[in-house]
Amino acid sequence: MTEAALVQPRNRAILLMITAILCFTLMDASAKALSLRIGIVPTVWARYTGQMLLVLVLVAPRLRTVVHTRHPWLQFLRSVLLMSATALFFTGISLIPLTDAAALMAVNPVLITLGAALFLGESLGPRRIAGIAFALIGAMIIIRPGSDVFSIAALLPLGAAACYSAYSLLTRRLGPKEDVWTSLFYTGLVGTVLLTLAVPAFWRMPDAAGWGLIGLITLFGTFGQLALIRAFSLGEASMLAPYSYTGLVFAAAWGALFFAELPDFWTICGALVIAGAGLYVWHRETYRR
């Protein structure tokens, strides 16, 4: 295969990755606004139920084909991981500024690099280990354990990052083995079923604005997932990971625009350390290739 033939899928994967991150940050901003109105569990339930209904409408003509999967347990596991990441992150952004949560969540590209080495057979040398260590240092700068600004809520985005990294690696593992719509279908199905069992105990009826936010979460979440799955089907996890840092810019913009949240000095410093660590790891991988 020629170099030009290789570049085209790579560029498409990068564009899809950035599109996915844009959709996810808009979904997060919508979820933060909605959670203040109806609570966390109904917000997470709305995110998955809305996605499930939209996917059913889109795949109805070929539903029998879409529901067929050769890897049911992997689909179930990746769906649970994503649902856990969503619940942890939505809870986090309801308690701390959106930019802080996004900066902490930004450790996930480095965690993906670590996971790719441990589970996908990619090498793990001292430079990658150093990148992972510095990313965690950046997270500690933002959290500042022992200081007056530290809160348990700040740990929630880190838990979300770990779950999301595992989900991304499983998505990459499935790759072209599964239809994109099949993966999207099971992501919505598992989350919807599990959350429907829990939501009655927490339900609060949304107002008109709340229903509008539910619609936005559905659209952004569904198309973000579709773009992400397609991106990981076309490109390597380690190649795409750095583009997750565009989420820091998007989150800062939405936080300032919609919630009047401006990142403080230490959040900016920690975010730069995390992004720098991830970009260093990416540079070393590119250089070695």
Side-chain angles (χ1 to χ4, degrees), residues 201-219:
F202 302 91
W203 181 251
R204 277 189 273 169
M205 182 62 67
D207 56 14
W211 286 114
L213 289 168
I214 288 173
L216 291 176
I217 290 171
T218 298
L219 289 174

Side-chain angles (χ1 to χ4, degrees), residues 156-175:
L156 295 173
L158 289 179
C163 292
Y164 180 79
S165 299
Y167 158 80
S168 297
L169 291 168
L170 283 179
T171 299
R172 175 60 181 162
R173 178 73 176 269
L174 286 172

Side-chain angles (χ1 to χ4, degrees), residues 83-158:
M83 182 185 69
S84 300
T86 304
L88 289 169
F89 191 74
F90 281 10
T91 305
I93 61 177
S94 71
L95 299 171
I96 64 175
L98 185 60
T99 306
D100 290 20
L104 292 169
M105 186 73 176
V107 302
N108 85 78
V110 182
L111 296 181
I112 290 173
T113 300
L114 175 61
L118 295 177
F119 304 112
L120 300 183
E122 298 183 12
S123 61
L124 182 64
R127 292 180 178 85
R128 290 187 181 184
I129 295 174
I132 293 166
F134 274 101
L136 295 178
I137 289 172
M140 292 301 103
I141 291 174
I142 298 171
I143 296 174
R144 281 165 280 171
S147 70
D148 293 337
V149 300
F150 172 74
S151 67
I152 299 299
L155 299 178
L156 295 173
L158 289 179

